[in-house]
Amino acid sequence: SADKMRLRFHTYYGTEIDQLAKDFRTAVKDRTDGQVRIQYFRGGELVPSDQFVDAVSNGTVDIVHGVGSYWSGKVDVGNIETGLPGAWTTIAEAKEVLESPEVKKLLVEAYDEAGALFLGKTYGSDYDLLTKERVGGLDDLKNYKIRATSNVAKVLKEFNIPTVALPAQELYVGLSTGVIDGVIYGSAVDYQNLKLNESAKYYTRLNMLTPGWTETFLANPDTWAKLSDEQRKIVEEEIANFGAKVENFLNEGNKHIPEGVFEFSTLPAEDTKALTTAAQVVWKEEADRSERNKKLIDLLAANAKAKGRL
Amino acid sequence: MQWVSKYLAMQDGLSEFVGRAISWLTLGMIAVLMYEIIMRYFLNSPTIWAHETSTMLYGGFCILAGTYTLRHKGHVRSEVIWGLMSERMKAAMDAITFGLALIVLTIFLKLAIDFAAESWAAKEFSNKSIWQPALYPIKTVIPIAVGLLLLQALAEFVRSILTALGVSYVDPRAGEIDEDDIVHLVEAEEKAVQEKAAFNKKKEADHG
Amino acid sequence: MADLDPLVITLIMFSSMLVLMAIGSPLAFALVTCGAALAFMVYGDGGLDLLITSTFSSMDNFLLVSLPMFIFMGLVLQKSGITDDLFEMIHKLMGRWPGGLGIGTVIICALIAAMAGVSGAATVSLGIIALPAMLKRGYDKRLVTGTIMAGGALGFLIPPSVLMIIYAFLSRDSVGKLFAAGLVPGLMLAGIYIAYILIRCRFNPKMGPPAEEQFTVAEKIGSLRFLIAPGALIVTVLGCIIGGVTSPSEASAIGAFGSLVIAALQKRLNWEVLRYVMLSTTKIMGMLMWIALAAVFFSKIYVGLGAGQIVTELVEDSNLSPIWVIVTMLATYFILGMFLDDFAILFITIPLFVPIVKELGFDTTWFAVLFVLSMQSAYLTPPFGYNLFYMRSVAPKEISIIDIYWSAIPFVILQIIGLALVVSFPKIALWLPELLF
Ligand code: NA
Ligand code: NA
C-alpha cells in the first residue's frame, strides 16, 4: 500500500541500546523510502514487559522485543526458549538448537496460538553469580541469601540455598545493606551498569547456562499483513541486524571489563555438573506443562546427550 | 419518586457493604507481612508466598475500594470553578461527567471481562517467584471492581440528572456527614470545651 | 490511524482534561475519559487495551503495598493522641520563647512526617490542636496558619513518603535511596521555616508572644517522655528501610503494626478508632488506585501517540543548557502544582522527564528530591492545594479563606529558596545516600 506505516516497536531494554535503536530506525526508514517508520519504546514505557504477548496480539504495539520467561505463565514454551539451566553452554550451541526447523516450528505454533507472529530470536550473554564474599563451591552458598528468578531459584533450592526475589532496581541497595549476599542476574557488564561492583566484586562463572537468556521478536499478524512483501523483507532483515548488534554489544562489553572491577573465578566442574543434574527437576516440570513442551524438552535432552552433558 | 430513593438507598448500601468488607484486607496485609518478617528473622525460614500474596491483597483491595470512595464522594475533584456554580448547575455538570464515565466504564468492563477470560483460558500463573500462583483469580477481581464502580456511577448519574432537571426526590445520602468529618468535629468540640474550662480556671486563679 | 501532530495531541489531551476538571469531574474520571477518547479516535487498534494493561500493572507491584500501610499508620497515630502529647511537650519546653510554639510546631511536623507517608496527617491534627492554642496566646494568625500548612507538607519529603514510593515505581529508582535523599533536604526546609519564625518574631515580638505559664525543670524533663513512643517507631521503620533490614513494604507493615501497639499502650485503641482507620484507608486507597490507573493510562496514550518522543526531541533541539532544562521542568511543576493533584503531576510528567534527565547526565535520585520539593509548593499554592483544603476544613471561623491564601505565600517563597539550594548544591540531597550505600 502507498500509505505511510508507523510501527510501534517495544523493547524490554532501557536506555543502554539507544544508539543501536537509532541506527535501526534510520535503516528501516531509509530502505523503505520513508514508507515504514519505527516508533521505538523502551522497557516499561507503554506496556510492562510481562504483558508483551497480550499487547502485540491486541495491536497495542506492533512488534515486541522481549524475553519468553516473562510471559511463561501464559505461553507454555516461554521458559524453555529463554533457557533452562543446563540447556546450552555457548551461543553457537543455543543457536544450533533453537534455530533448528523442529524447534522453530514449535515456537511459531505456540505464539500463533497466543495471537502473535514469531519473527525470530536473538541471544543474550553470560549469566553468572556475583557475591560479596569469595565463593569456592556450592557448599559456600548454603548460608547466603541469593537473588534469583524462578527457574534458577528452583535449582538452587535443590541444594538448600535460600533465594530471594527482588526487582532489579533494588539490587544495589539490597547488596550494599546486606538484604542479599549475592545475585544471579546477568553478565559482568550488567553488574557494572548497576554499580553492583561497589559492594560485591566476586564474579563466579557458573557454566550452567550460556547465554543465560535469549530474546524473542514477535509481531502483530494484522499489521504484518498490511506491509508489502518488500517492506516485510526489509523490516525482517533490519530486525535481525539490530538483534545481532545487541548480541555483539552485550558480549563485547564483557570482554573489556577493566582490570580490578571484579575478581573472576569459576565454579568447580563437579558443581556445575551437579547443577545440571539438579536442573532435570525443572526440565521435567516444564515438559509436564504441555505436549509441545514435552517435544521441546526431548529435543533439548537429545542435544545435551550428544554433547555429553547428560 | 419513591422508587428512586429506594434504588439509591440500595445502591449506596451495596457500595457501603463492599467497602466495609474489604476494609478488613488492610489488617490482612499487615498480618501477612508481619508473618513473613517473623518467619525470616526469628525462625530463619522465609515463606515463598508472602510477597505475592500481599501484592494480590493490595491490588484487589485498592481496585475494589473505588466504589466505596465514590459512594463517599472521595474521588478528588478540583472545585475551583465547579464550586462557584449553583446547585443545579453543579448537578448538570455532574450529569455530563458521570454520563461520560458510564460510557468509559462500560468499555472498561468489556475489556476487563476479556482480560480475565483469557487468563482463565490459558490457566495463567505468575512466574515471579518459585511459588508460581494462579493469576486468574486476581485478574477476575478487575471486572468485578469495574462493574461495582459502574453501578455506583449510575446512581450518581441518576442523582445529578434529577437535581439538574429540578425533579424533587429524597436522597438517602442527604445530610450524611462522613465519619472522618464527624470525628474531626467531635475532636474540635472536645478540645474547645477543654480549653475553655482550662482558660476559665486560669482566669479565676489569676483573680483569686 | 489519524496522523496528528504531537503538539496538537498535547493541546487536545491537556485542554480537554482541564475542561473536564473545570466542570468538576473527579480527576480519575477526567483522565480516563480523555485517554479513552483519544485512544478510540487516534491510537488505532489496541489503544483501549492500554487501559487494562495500566490497571493490572498498577495493582501488581509489591513496592506499592507500602502505600496503604503508611496511610494506615498515619491515621492510627492521628487518632492515638500523639500530636496532643507532643504539643503539650513543646508547650512546656518552648512556650516561653518568642515564637517558641511556632518553632515547636515545625518540629512536631517533622516528627509526624518521619512517621507518616502522607501530608494530611500533620496539617489536620495540628490544625485542630495547635492552631487554636497558638491563636489564644496571641500568635499572628497568618504566621501560624502558614507554619502548619508548610510544616504539614514535609510529610512527603521526610521519609517515609508515599509520593517517593510511586516515583520509584515509575522511574525504577531504589526506594531506600530516595528515602535517604529526602531526609537532609527535609530537615533543611524545617530549619528554614524555624529561622523564618525566629526572625519574624525577633523583629515583631507581637507575632509570637511568650506564654505566661511557667513549668519546673522536672515538669519539662518529664514531658520528654512523649518522645519515646514516636521516637521508637521512627527509628524502627526508617532503620529497617534505610538500613536495609527489610524491604520498604515490610517496614511499612511493621510501622502499621507498631502504631497499633502504641495506640493500645496509650489506651486509645478501640473498635471506633480501628473502624475509622480501616474505612479511611479504604476510601483513600480507592481514590489513589483509580487516579493511578487513570493517570498511567492517560500518559501511556500520550506517549504511545508519539508525543513523548517529540517532547524529548524538542528539549534536545532547544539548545538550552542542561541546567536550564531542569529549571524549566521545575517551573512547569510549579505551574501544574497550582491546578493539579501531586499524583497526577507525577504520573503525567515522570515518564516524560526522567529519560531526559538521564540523557542530560543528571542523577535521577537528585531529580526525585527536586520533584518532591516542588510538590511541597503544590500543596500550598492556590487555587488547588491540599493543605489549603485541609486547613479550611479544620480552621476556626476567625481564619478566613483569604487569610489561608495569604499565609501560604511567604512559605512558598521559603520553599523556592530551599529548592534553589538543592538545585545549586546537589550534595544536600546526595550526601546521605552516598554515605549509606
Ligand atoms: Na514522611
Ligand atoms: Na497547588
Side-chain angles (χ1 to χ4, degrees):
Chain A
S1 74
D3 290 348
K4 248 204 249 175
M5 289 278 290
R6 250 176 224 287
L7 301 182
R8 291 192 181 91
F9 179 102
H10 207 323
T11 181
Y12 80 109
Y13 278 94
T15 51
E16 57 274 33
I17 54 166
D18 276 3
Q19 188 53 48
L20 305 179
K22 215 169 185 175
D23 298 345
F24 165 59
R25 293 172 60 195
T26 318
V28 172
K29 187 176 137 198
D30 291 352
R31 288 187 60 194
T32 59
D33 297 322
Q35 291 307 298
V36 179
R37 308 272 181 120
I38 299 286
Q39 234 180 333
Y40 180 81
F41 299 98
R42 302 186 194 104
E45 266 187 294
L46 272 190
V47 195
S49 308
D50 54 3
Q51 296 188 48
F52 271 5
V53 176
D54 276 345
V56 83
S57 71
N58 292 335
T60 305
V61 288
D62 301 305
I63 303 174
V64 292
H65 171 209
V67 175
S69 63
Y70 283 27
W71 51 73
S72 62
K74 201 159 195 179
V75 180
D76 54 3
V77 297
N79 276 331
I80 304 176
E81 62 148 338
T82 303
L84 297 179
W88 43 70
T89 54
T90 62
I91 291 185
E93 190 190 347
K95 278 186 187 166
E96 197 187 311
V97 176
L98 290 172
E99 308 281 337
S100 74
E102 302 95 315
V103 172
K104 209 159 174 192
K105 192 174 146 273
L106 293 171
L107 297 186
V108 169
E109 181 191 297
Y111 285 109
D112 185 56
E113 273 175 25
L117 189 78
F118 177 79
L119 289 184
K121 295 194 66 71
T122 183
Y123 298 82
S125 187
D126 301 345
Y127 195 63
D128 291 319
L129 171 70
L130 187 75
T131 44
K132 293 169 74 117
E133 306 282 337
R134 189 185 298 279
V135 172
L138 285 177
D139 278 345
D140 292 355
L141 297 177
K142 297 260 152 73
N143 299 317
Y144 284 16
K145 280 196 288 293
I146 305 290
R147 183 271 186 194
T149 43
S150 69
N151 276 329
V152 175
K154 277 184 200 158
V155 175
L156 295 182
K157 200 175 163 227
E158 297 291 309
F159 298 90
N160 293 319
I161 297 167
T163 55
V164 184
L166 210 61
Q169 77 255 34
E170 294 299 328
L171 294 182
Y172 180 87
V173 171
L175 272 175
S176 60
T177 55
V179 171
I180 48 174
D181 307 293
V183 298
I184 301 177
Y185 171 76
S187 65
V189 165
D190 300 311
Y191 294 147
Q192 200 189 7
N193 282 343
L194 291 168
K195 297 187 193 144
L196 302 188
N197 54 308
E198 287 175 16
S199 49
K201 60 185 309 185
Y202 295 98
Y203 185 103
T204 311
R205 297 188 200 284
L206 299 174
N207 292 328
M208 175 179 68
L209 178 70
T210 315
W213 73 97
T214 68
E215 296 160 11
T216 303
F217 291 97
L218 304 171
N220 175 273
D222 297 338
T223 316
W224 197 248
K226 280 187 205 142
L227 295 172
S228 69
D229 290 345
E230 176 66 16
Q231 289 170 337
R232 267 198 290 268
K233 188 168 158 277
I234 293 171
V235 174
E236 232 167 348
E237 279 173 14
E238 288 307 325
I239 284 179
N241 195 3
F242 169 68
K245 282 187 193 163
V246 171
E247 205 177 296
N248 189 47
F249 158 82
L250 294 169
N251 291 294
E252 277 307 302
N254 285 324
K255 284 182 198 151
H256 299 109
I257 298 286
E259 193 86 4
V261 174
F262 297 108
E263 291 212 18
F264 293 95
S265 66
T266 303
L267 200 69
E270 66 268 26
D271 281 4
T272 294
K273 187 121 192 165
L275 281 175
T276 310
T277 315
Q280 293 312 305
V281 180
V282 178
W283 288 38
K284 175 156 187 335
E285 206 175 286
E286 289 293 335
D288 290 345
R289 281 180 62 191
S290 68
E291 266 308 302
R292 181 162 49 225
N293 276 14
K294 191 172 176 319
K295 282 185 213 160
L296 263 175
I297 291 288
D298 287 345
L299 290 165
L300 277 185
N303 169 67
K305 272 184 194 126
K307 295 279 185 305
R309 282 199 308 279
L310 271 181
Chain B
M1 295 307 278
Q2 230 187 345
W3 62 272
V4 174
S5 306
K6 246 187 199 158
Y7 156 68
L8 291 176
M10 262 171 64
Q11 177 54 49
D12 287 356
L14 174 65
S15 293
E16 188 67 36
F17 171 77
V18 172
R20 284 180 186 250
I22 61 167
S23 73
W24 289 96
L25 294 176
T26 53
L27 298 184
M29 283 179 260
I30 298 177
V32 167
L33 289 172
M34 289 305 290
Y35 181 82
E36 161 72 13
I37 294 164
I38 291 167
M39 290 307 280
R40 192 167 71 219
Y41 280 96
F42 299 103
L43 302 167
N44 206 22
S45 60
T47 68
I48 55 166
W49 48 266
H51 282 191
E52 282 189 272
T53 305
S54 58
T55 309
M56 286 180 186
L57 289 176
Y58 163 82
F61 165 70
C62 293
I63 194 92
L64 284 166
T67 182
Y68 179 79
T69 310
L70 185 57
R71 186 240 173 275
H72 287 273
K73 302 179 189 165
H75 285 287
V76 200
R77 60 181 1 166
S78 168
E79 300 190 3
V80 179
I81 296 169
W82 183 79
L84 301 174
M85 299 176 184
S86 69
E87 284 309 310
R88 274 188 72 177
M89 198 58 187
K90 277 186 191 168
M93 295 297 129
D94 282 358
I96 298 175
T97 298
F98 289 112
L100 290 171
L102 286 178
I103 299 171
V104 177
L105 286 172
T106 308
I107 298 169
F108 194 176
L109 181 62
K110 158 106 183 33
L111 292 169
I113 291 172
D114 292 348
F115 186 66
E118 274 177 38
S119 186
W120 278 92
K123 295 260 184 303
E124 190 182 8
F125 60 86
S126 154
N127 196 34
K128 281 192 197 144
S129 69
I130 51 178
W131 183 39
Q132 300 187 321
L135 278 179
Y136 37 87
I138 185 69
K139 288 194 171 179
T140 308
V141 174
I142 303 176
I144 295 172
V146 175
L148 286 168
L149 186 68
L150 179 65
L151 289 175
Q152 185 65 37
L154 183 63
E156 303 300 327
F157 179 71
V158 169
R159 279 188 169 99
S160 54
I161 211 129
L162 290 179
T163 311
L165 295 175
V167 181
S168 90
Y169 67 101
V170 181
D171 188 346
R173 199 167 60 184
E176 188 177 277
I177 304 173
D178 258 332
E179 210 162 323
D180 42 0
D181 294 336
I182 292 175
V183 179
H184 288 160
L185 286 178
V186 171
E187 265 179 5
E189 251 164 39
E190 270 176 14
K191 207 76 206 165
V193 171
Q194 278 172 14
E195 301 241 346
K196 181 108 198 212
F199 187 63
N200 285 340
K201 223 162 99 186
K202 180 104 195 351
K203 220 160 73 179
E204 275 171 29
D206 284 352
H207 288 285
Chain C
M1 109 187 189
D3 250 335
L4 284 185
D5 184 79
L7 289 175
V8 176
I9 291 171
T10 308
L11 213 68
I12 295 176
M13 284 190 83
F14 285 88
S15 56
S16 58
M17 191 187 72
L18 285 177
V19 168
L20 278 181
M21 284 198 68
I23 68 165
S25 171
L27 182 60
F29 291 169
L31 286 164
V32 100
T33 305
C34 294
L38 240 78
F40 182 69
M41 290 186 287
V42 190
Y43 193 102
D45 285 348
L48 282 167
D49 286 281
L50 280 170
L51 182 53
I52 195 88
T53 326
S54 309
T55 304
F56 190 63
S57 69
S58 308
M59 290 166 67
D60 183 34
N61 191 307
F62 179 58
L63 214 55
L64 300 182
V65 179
S66 53
L67 295 178
M69 301 288 93
F70 281 133
I71 288 166
F72 186 98
M73 171 178 164
L75 291 167
V76 174
L77 292 172
Q78 190 188 325
K79 287 274 150 271
S80 67
I82 277 195
T83 320
D84 304 65
D85 294 344
L86 289 174
F87 192 72
E88 191 185 325
M89 180 189 81
I90 61 137
H91 179 221
K92 284 181 178 160
L93 290 176
M94 303 163 71
R96 303 276 302 163
W97 309 354
L101 292 182
I103 295 166
T105 298
V106 176
I107 296 174
I108 296 177
C109 284
L111 283 170
I112 295 179
M115 292 185 285
V118 286
S119 116
T123 309
V124 169
S125 52
L126 284 166
I128 292 167
I129 296 154
L131 185 61
M134 288 195 281
L135 290 178
K136 206 179 65 194
R137 291 183 177 79
Y139 272 63
D140 181 76
K141 62 181 176 181
R142 287 185 182 172
L143 180 71
V144 294
T145 311
T147 304
I148 292 174
M149 289 193 296
L154 290 172
F156 271 159
L157 185 55
I158 296 177
S161 159
V162 169
L163 197 61
M164 284 185 180
I165 294 168
I166 300 188
Y167 182 101
F169 159 61
L170 291 175
S171 77
R172 301 177 174 194
D173 273 299
S174 152
V175 174
K177 230 170 157 179
L178 292 191
F179 279 9
L183 189 56
V184 176
L187 296 178
M188 180 190 78
L189 213 49
I192 291 175
Y193 298 155
I194 289 175
Y196 172 74
I197 297 166
L198 271 176
I199 292 168
R200 290 296 301 268
C201 294
R202 183 87 185 228
F203 285 106
N204 185 359
K206 272 193 234 143
M207 294 187 93
E212 288 155 21
E213 302 97 320
Q214 296 232 26
F215 297 98
T216 65
V217 176
E219 275 176 315
K220 284 183 180 176
I221 293 173
S223 73
L224 285 173
R225 73 176 186 281
F226 294 132
L227 274 178
I228 296 173
L233 198 60
I234 292 169
V235 170
T236 313
V237 173
L238 290 189
C240 281
I241 297 171
I242 295 177
V245 180
T246 63
S247 65
S249 302
E250 289 168 345
S252 69
I254 298 177
F257 183 73
S259 67
L260 287 175
V261 173
I262 288 180
L265 290 176
Q266 311 248 27
K267 300 201 168 47
R268 274 158 174 151
L269 184 61
N270 55 43
W271 168 234
E272 288 305 309
V273 168
L274 192 62
R275 195 183 59 171
Y276 162 79
V277 170
M278 282 160 48
L279 289 177
S280 294
T281 308
T282 308
K283 195 163 110 180
I284 296 172
M285 285 316 302
M287 171 196 80
L288 275 180
M289 171 57 86
W290 280 83
I291 291 184
L293 72 88
V296 170
F297 170 59
F298 182 86
S299 65
K300 301 272 156 168
I301 292 292
Y302 184 74
V303 170
L305 290 173
Q309 226 149 10
I310 297 298
V311 172
T312 316
E313 280 164 22
L314 266 180
V315 170
E316 280 168 4
D317 297 345
S318 68
N319 286 325
L320 278 175
S321 73
I323 194 69
W324 281 103
V325 174
I326 299 283
V327 171
T328 312
M329 287 176 179
L330 296 177
T332 313
Y333 282 147
F334 190 82
I335 294 168
L336 289 177
M338 289 157 64
F339 303 101
L340 288 183
D341 167 88
D342 47 337
F343 286 101
I345 299 175
L346 177 81
F347 280 111
I348 294 165
T349 64
I350 293 306
L352 297 179
F353 285 4
V354 166
I356 299 175
V357 170
K358 274 188 197 155
E359 199 101 354
L360 296 173
F362 289 112
D363 191 317
T364 53
T365 309
W366 171 67
F367 188 73
V369 173
L370 298 184
F371 167 74
V372 178
L373 275 165
S374 309
M375 292 304 107
Q376 302 273 303
S377 307
Y379 266 66
L380 299 190
T381 48
F384 186 92
Y386 275 118
N387 282 6
L388 303 170
F389 302 155
Y390 289 141
M391 186 49 83
R392 194 176 59 184
S393 70
V394 294
K397 280 201 180 59
E398 68 239 57
I399 303 208
S400 68
I401 204 62
I402 303 297
D403 285 325
I404 293 178
Y405 284 0
W406 273 108
S407 72
I409 291 172
F411 287 92
V412 171
I413 295 171
L414 295 176
Q415 289 169 339
I416 294 173
I417 294 172
L419 180 63
L421 282 172
V422 182
V423 171
S424 318
F425 306 104
K427 278 280 165 202
I428 298 173
L430 298 178
W431 171 75
L432 189 62
E434 281 171 10
L435 182 80
L436 287 171
F437 307 124

